[in-house]
Amino acid sequence: MKPLIAGNWKMNGTAASGREFDLMTSGYDADLQARCDLLVCPPATLLGAFRMRAGGTGVRLGGQDCHVKPCGAHTGDISAEMLRDAGAEFVIVGHSERRSDHGESDPVVKAKAMAARRAGLVAVLCIGETAEERRGGRTLAVIVDQLEGSLPDEATPETLVVAYEPVWAIGSGLTPTVDDVAEVHDLIRGKLVDRYGAAIGDRIRILYGGSVKPSNAAELLAVENVDGALVGGASLTAADFLAIAAAAPRG
Ligand SMILES: O=C(CO)COP(=O)(O)O
């Protein structure tokens, strides 16, 4: 499976960030293109400009959240259809910061994943346990609950990506051991196969996210059933983001 290296810029980036994005598109050369798919999810304010800049470079764009409805009286929200119109091909749903900052529950995340599909976007559905849940030995149970509650009713590898992001690893510099990552990714793979059948479940990409850096990317990306990375802080600079992409194993 070709790895997907995805950058989540979160609430960072202004018009001036176009220069950094240009460094990413120009650095995504034939070698990197053969190695991995590259996705940047900037704030929605920058999608239109980045679409123009991305041109034919192959760098894909995504949103960071979407509303469940296509349009209507929802001040401040953005629909999946609007993201697609602005140049997105992907949208992150259920990020832990959305779950904690905006109280998004599994059913809401599921509705967002289904809205993404309706609009023709690939949903990057995030799940992950908190530090307290891991300390309490509840990691696997939490992951199963989140998957059962938030996976869309129908999916294909072309409409769904799952991202395992332990909440305690996000922005902390901490990462799980490779054995812990493997355990959770194996569990997710099994659940995807149960849910959608092997022909689909075996081909849905499962990303790891949480403090991915150039220094640990090769080790994390080499883990079985890790089909790419969802990168926060290190996706803001082209040098780091491209170094992570270059660590993806050759397919
Ligand atoms: O939340 C993340 C990506 O969605 C991970 O963020 P960091 O890479 O900054 O830990």
Side-chain angles (χ1 to χ4, degrees):
M1 208 168 340
K2 195 173 184 187
L4 172 65
I5 306 299
N8 173 9
W9 282 25
K10 309 190 179 184
M11 199 171 69
N12 297 290
T14 60
S17 313
R19 288 183 46 221
E20 201 65 33
F21 181 71
D22 289 346
L23 294 175
M24 294 180 188
T25 56
S26 58
Y28 185 52
D29 58 17
D31 178 58
L32 280 186
Q33 287 174 28
R35 212 177 253 275
C36 63
D37 290 333
L38 201 69
L39 166 67
V40 175
C41 300
T45 48
L46 295 178
L47 277 174
F50 281 18
R51 170 171 44 188
M52 306 285 282
R53 297 180 104 110
T57 62
V59 174
R60 325 281 286 274
L61 293 170
Q64 299 177 10
D65 173 53
C66 65
H67 196 274
V68 301
K69 301 236 177 83
C71 58
H74 302 286
T75 303
D77 279 314
I78 298 177
S79 71
E81 282 78 359
M82 293 159 77
L83 291 171
R84 186 179 162 114
D85 182 57
E89 295 176 79
F90 293 70
V91 60
I92 298 168
V93 296
H95 191 279
S96 66
E97 288 148 18
R98 297 291 314 175
R99 292 177 187 259
S100 62
D101 292 357
H102 299 274
E104 291 186 9
S105 61
D106 287 333
V108 168
V109 174
K110 175 178 177 174
K112 290 186 174 198
M114 292 174 63
R117 183 188 169 101
R118 179 191 67 216
L121 298 181
V122 183
V124 180
L125 195 163
C126 302
I127 54 173
E129 82 286 2
T130 63
E132 195 188 337
E133 288 163 344
R134 179 161 281 272
R135 274 195 302 273
R138 299 200 302 279
T139 299
L140 300 185
V142 167
I143 296 300
V144 168
D145 273 1
Q146 289 180 338
L147 287 172
E148 282 173 1
S150 58
L151 281 176
D153 291 337
E154 289 169 40
T156 68
E158 291 75 39
T159 63
L160 180 68
V161 171
V162 174
Y164 169 53
E165 296 207 308
V167 178
W168 53 273
I170 295 175
S172 64
L174 303 172
T175 50
T177 65
V178 289
D179 287 347
D180 287 341
V181 172
E183 183 180 39
V184 175
H185 280 241
D186 287 352
L187 174 77
I188 297 170
R189 176 69 66 212
K191 289 284 158 197
L192 292 173
V193 168
D194 287 351
R195 182 68 168 261
Y196 304 118
I200 291 173
D202 274 336
R203 289 173 46 243
I204 291 175
R205 290 192 278 201
I206 308 172
L207 313 185
Y208 168 78
S211 294
V212 177
K213 310 278 178 232
S215 56
N216 61 19
E219 183 183 44
L220 289 162
L221 290 166
V223 176
E224 194 171 352
N225 283 320
V226 172
D227 309 309
L230 182 54
V231 186
S235 74
L236 293 171
T237 54
D240 282 353
F241 193 45
L242 293 172
I244 290 167
R250 281 181 195 283

mmCIF file of all heavy atoms in Angstrom, residues 6-8 10 92 95-97 126 165 169-174 209-213 230-235, ligand 1:
data_model
loop_
_atom_site.group_PDB
_atom_site.id
_atom_site.type_symbol
_atom_site.label_atom_id
_atom_site.label_comp_id
_atom_site.label_asym_id
_atom_site.label_seq_id
_atom_site.Cartn_x
_atom_site.Cartn_y
_atom_site.Cartn_z
ATOM 1 N N ALA A 6 0.487 12.901 5.694
ATOM 2 C CA ALA A 6 -0.492 13.991 5.761
ATOM 3 C C ALA A 6 -0.043 15.022 6.794
ATOM 4 O O ALA A 6 0.394 14.658 7.889
ATOM 5 C CB ALA A 6 -1.857 13.420 6.153
ATOM 6 N N GLY A 7 -0.161 16.281 6.441
ATOM 7 C CA GLY A 7 0.183 17.364 7.355
ATOM 8 C C GLY A 7 -1.072 18.069 7.822
ATOM 9 O O GLY A 7 -1.898 18.482 6.999
ATOM 10 N N ASN A 8 -1.231 18.168 9.130
ATOM 11 C CA ASN A 8 -2.357 18.905 9.713
ATOM 12 C C ASN A 8 -1.796 20.197 10.290
ATOM 13 O O ASN A 8 -1.127 20.179 11.321
ATOM 14 C CB ASN A 8 -3.003 18.043 10.804
ATOM 15 C CG ASN A 8 -4.084 18.785 11.580
ATOM 16 O OD1 ASN A 8 -4.483 19.894 11.203
ATOM 17 N ND2 ASN A 8 -4.563 18.188 12.657
ATOM 18 N N LYS A 10 -3.392 22.597 11.598
ATOM 19 C CA LYS A 10 -4.196 23.115 12.714
ATOM 20 C C LYS A 10 -4.440 24.622 12.509
ATOM 21 O O LYS A 10 -4.564 25.057 11.377
ATOM 22 C CB LYS A 10 -3.525 22.776 14.042
ATOM 23 C CG LYS A 10 -3.173 21.280 14.130
ATOM 24 C CD LYS A 10 -2.741 20.827 15.482
ATOM 25 C CE LYS A 10 -2.452 19.318 15.440
ATOM 26 N NZ LYS A 10 -2.125 18.768 16.734
ATOM 27 N N ILE A 92 -10.101 15.925 7.449
ATOM 28 C CA ILE A 92 -9.895 15.268 8.745
ATOM 29 C C ILE A 92 -11.215 15.364 9.511
ATOM 30 O O ILE A 92 -11.840 16.433 9.551
ATOM 31 C CB ILE A 92 -8.782 15.989 9.532
ATOM 32 C CG1 ILE A 92 -7.448 15.922 8.774
ATOM 33 C CG2 ILE A 92 -8.640 15.396 10.937
ATOM 34 C CD1 ILE A 92 -6.373 16.845 9.332
ATOM 35 N N HIS A 95 -10.776 14.737 14.886
ATOM 36 C CA HIS A 95 -9.491 14.986 15.549
ATOM 37 C C HIS A 95 -9.728 15.198 17.046
ATOM 38 O O HIS A 95 -10.743 15.773 17.440
ATOM 39 C CB HIS A 95 -8.806 16.202 14.935
ATOM 40 C CG HIS A 95 -7.385 16.333 15.384
ATOM 41 N ND1 HIS A 95 -7.042 16.877 16.593
ATOM 42 C CD2 HIS A 95 -6.226 15.936 14.801
ATOM 43 C CE1 HIS A 95 -5.723 16.821 16.733
ATOM 44 N NE2 HIS A 95 -5.208 16.267 15.656
ATOM 45 N N SER A 96 -8.802 14.777 17.869
ATOM 46 C CA SER A 96 -9.019 14.858 19.324
ATOM 47 C C SER A 96 -9.218 16.304 19.778
ATOM 48 O O SER A 96 -9.891 16.547 20.776
ATOM 49 C CB SER A 96 -7.868 14.211 20.089
ATOM 50 O OG SER A 96 -6.693 14.942 19.898
ATOM 51 N N GLU A 97 -8.627 17.255 19.022
ATOM 52 C CA GLU A 97 -8.839 18.659 19.407
ATOM 53 C C GLU A 97 -10.272 19.104 19.098
ATOM 54 O O GLU A 97 -10.819 19.953 19.806
ATOM 55 C CB GLU A 97 -7.789 19.537 18.711
ATOM 56 C CG GLU A 97 -6.413 19.315 19.336
ATOM 57 C CD GLU A 97 -5.240 19.465 18.395
ATOM 58 O OE1 GLU A 97 -5.391 20.061 17.313
ATOM 59 O OE2 GLU A 97 -4.153 18.962 18.750
ATOM 60 N N CYS A 126 -10.060 10.287 12.843
ATOM 61 C CA CYS A 126 -9.069 10.177 13.926
ATOM 62 C C CYS A 126 -9.671 9.538 15.174
ATOM 63 O O CYS A 126 -10.791 9.865 15.576
ATOM 64 C CB CYS A 126 -8.548 11.554 14.308
ATOM 65 S SG CYS A 126 -7.804 12.453 12.947
ATOM 66 N N GLU A 165 -4.232 8.405 16.672
ATOM 67 C CA GLU A 165 -3.482 9.477 17.316
ATOM 68 C C GLU A 165 -3.703 9.408 18.828
ATOM 69 O O GLU A 165 -4.725 9.930 19.322
ATOM 70 C CB GLU A 165 -3.956 10.844 16.809
ATOM 71 C CG GLU A 165 -3.710 11.080 15.345
ATOM 72 C CD GLU A 165 -3.555 12.567 15.033
ATOM 73 O OE1 GLU A 165 -4.431 13.357 15.425
ATOM 74 O OE2 GLU A 165 -2.552 12.926 14.431
ATOM 75 N N ALA A 169 0.186 11.746 22.951
ATOM 76 C CA ALA A 169 1.371 11.856 22.086
ATOM 77 C C ALA A 169 1.330 13.118 21.224
ATOM 78 O O ALA A 169 2.341 13.495 20.623
ATOM 79 C CB ALA A 169 1.480 10.624 21.194
ATOM 80 N N ILE A 170 0.168 13.773 21.172
ATOM 81 C CA ILE A 170 0.011 14.928 20.284
ATOM 82 C C ILE A 170 0.707 16.147 20.887
ATOM 83 O O ILE A 170 0.395 16.568 22.002
ATOM 84 C CB ILE A 170 -1.482 15.220 20.032
ATOM 85 C CG1 ILE A 170 -2.113 14.062 19.259
ATOM 86 C CG2 ILE A 170 -1.660 16.545 19.287
ATOM 87 C CD1 ILE A 170 -3.616 14.185 19.060
ATOM 88 N N GLY A 171 1.687 16.661 20.162
ATOM 89 C CA GLY A 171 2.377 17.888 20.562
ATOM 90 C C GLY A 171 3.218 17.754 21.822
ATOM 91 O O GLY A 171 3.687 18.752 22.361
ATOM 92 N N SER A 172 3.417 16.532 22.305
ATOM 93 C CA SER A 172 4.113 16.335 23.577
ATOM 94 C C SER A 172 5.554 15.882 23.402
ATOM 95 O O SER A 172 6.328 15.896 24.353
ATOM 96 C CB SER A 172 3.376 15.269 24.398
ATOM 97 O OG SER A 172 3.438 14.028 23.705
ATOM 98 N N GLY A 173 5.913 15.451 22.211
ATOM 99 C CA GLY A 173 7.238 14.864 22.015
ATOM 100 C C GLY A 173 7.299 13.409 22.447
ATOM 101 O O GLY A 173 8.315 12.752 22.284
ATOM 102 N N LEU A 174 6.197 12.906 23.012
ATOM 103 C CA LEU A 174 6.150 11.503 23.435
ATOM 104 C C LEU A 174 5.543 10.657 22.327
ATOM 105 O O LEU A 174 4.623 11.105 21.641
ATOM 106 C CB LEU A 174 5.280 11.350 24.686
ATOM 107 C CG LEU A 174 5.661 12.176 25.906
ATOM 108 C CD1 LEU A 174 4.578 12.063 26.978
ATOM 109 C CD2 LEU A 174 7.016 11.708 26.449
ATOM 110 N N GLY A 209 -0.374 9.066 14.128
ATOM 111 C CA GLY A 209 -0.113 10.492 14.376
ATOM 112 C C GLY A 209 0.179 10.737 15.840
ATOM 113 O O GLY A 209 -0.345 10.042 16.725
ATOM 114 N N GLY A 210 0.996 11.760 16.098
ATOM 115 C CA GLY A 210 1.378 12.122 17.473
ATOM 116 C C GLY A 210 2.883 12.198 17.574
ATOM 117 O O GLY A 210 3.561 11.179 17.657
ATOM 118 N N SER A 211 3.391 13.453 17.518
ATOM 119 C CA SER A 211 4.838 13.706 17.659
ATOM 120 C C SER A 211 5.688 12.955 16.635
ATOM 121 O O SER A 211 6.788 12.500 16.945
ATOM 122 C CB SER A 211 5.310 13.389 19.089
ATOM 123 O OG SER A 211 4.721 14.300 20.004
ATOM 124 N N VAL A 212 5.172 12.829 15.412
ATOM 125 C CA VAL A 212 6.009 12.283 14.334
ATOM 126 C C VAL A 212 7.001 13.363 13.907
ATOM 127 O O VAL A 212 6.614 14.512 13.661
ATOM 128 C CB VAL A 212 5.163 11.833 13.127
ATOM 129 C CG1 VAL A 212 6.064 11.332 12.000
ATOM 130 C CG2 VAL A 212 4.165 10.748 13.533
ATOM 131 N N LYS A 213 8.268 12.995 13.871
ATOM 132 C CA LYS A 213 9.361 13.915 13.518
ATOM 133 C C LYS A 213 10.271 13.211 12.510
ATOM 134 O O LYS A 213 10.209 11.984 12.390
ATOM 135 C CB LYS A 213 10.222 14.223 14.760
ATOM 136 C CG LYS A 213 9.458 14.655 15.990
ATOM 137 C CD LYS A 213 9.128 16.125 15.934
ATOM 138 C CE LYS A 213 8.329 16.540 17.154
ATOM 139 N NZ LYS A 213 7.113 17.230 16.870
ATOM 140 N N LEU A 230 0.101 11.068 10.193
ATOM 141 C CA LEU A 230 -0.611 12.345 10.278
ATOM 142 C C LEU A 230 0.247 13.233 11.178
ATOM 143 O O LEU A 230 0.424 12.945 12.361
ATOM 144 C CB LEU A 230 -2.015 12.143 10.852
ATOM 145 C CG LEU A 230 -2.899 13.387 10.967
ATOM 146 C CD1 LEU A 230 -3.031 14.124 9.644
ATOM 147 C CD2 LEU A 230 -4.295 13.004 11.465
ATOM 148 N N VAL A 231 0.778 14.290 10.588
ATOM 149 C CA VAL A 231 1.839 15.074 11.217
ATOM 150 C C VAL A 231 1.321 16.465 11.553
ATOM 151 O O VAL A 231 0.738 17.131 10.694
ATOM 152 C CB VAL A 231 3.039 15.197 10.246
ATOM 153 C CG1 VAL A 231 4.209 15.891 10.940
ATOM 154 C CG2 VAL A 231 3.454 13.837 9.700
ATOM 155 N N GLY A 232 1.507 16.902 12.784
ATOM 156 C CA GLY A 232 1.102 18.249 13.174
ATOM 157 C C GLY A 232 2.269 19.213 13.047
ATOM 158 O O GLY A 232 2.599 19.682 11.954
ATOM 159 N N GLY A 233 2.925 19.502 14.163
ATOM 160 C CA GLY A 233 3.974 20.533 14.205
ATOM 161 C C GLY A 233 5.023 20.405 13.117
ATOM 162 O O GLY A 233 5.416 21.399 12.492
ATOM 163 N N ALA A 234 5.472 19.186 12.862
ATOM 164 C CA ALA A 234 6.555 19.000 11.893
ATOM 165 C C ALA A 234 6.076 19.138 10.448
ATOM 166 O O ALA A 234 6.894 19.084 9.527
ATOM 167 C CB ALA A 234 7.214 17.635 12.102
ATOM 168 N N SER A 235 4.765 19.341 10.248
ATOM 169 C CA SER A 235 4.294 19.547 8.865
ATOM 170 C C SER A 235 4.281 21.022 8.487
ATOM 171 O O SER A 235 3.939 21.375 7.361
ATOM 172 C CB SER A 235 2.887 18.962 8.681
ATOM 173 O OG SER A 235 1.902 19.770 9.310
HETATM 174 O O1 LIG B 1 -2.471 16.069 16.071
HETATM 175 C C1 LIG B 1 -1.594 15.764 15.270
HETATM 176 C C2 LIG B 1 -1.883 15.654 13.840
HETATM 177 O O2 LIG B 1 -3.246 15.651 13.587
HETATM 178 C C3 LIG B 1 -0.216 15.492 15.723
HETATM 179 O O3 LIG B 1 0.356 16.678 16.125
HETATM 180 P P1 LIG B 1 1.934 16.711 16.436
HETATM 181 O O4 LIG B 1 2.629 16.051 15.259
HETATM 182 O O5 LIG B 1 2.268 18.159 16.568
HETATM 183 O O6 LIG B 1 2.146 15.913 17.682
#
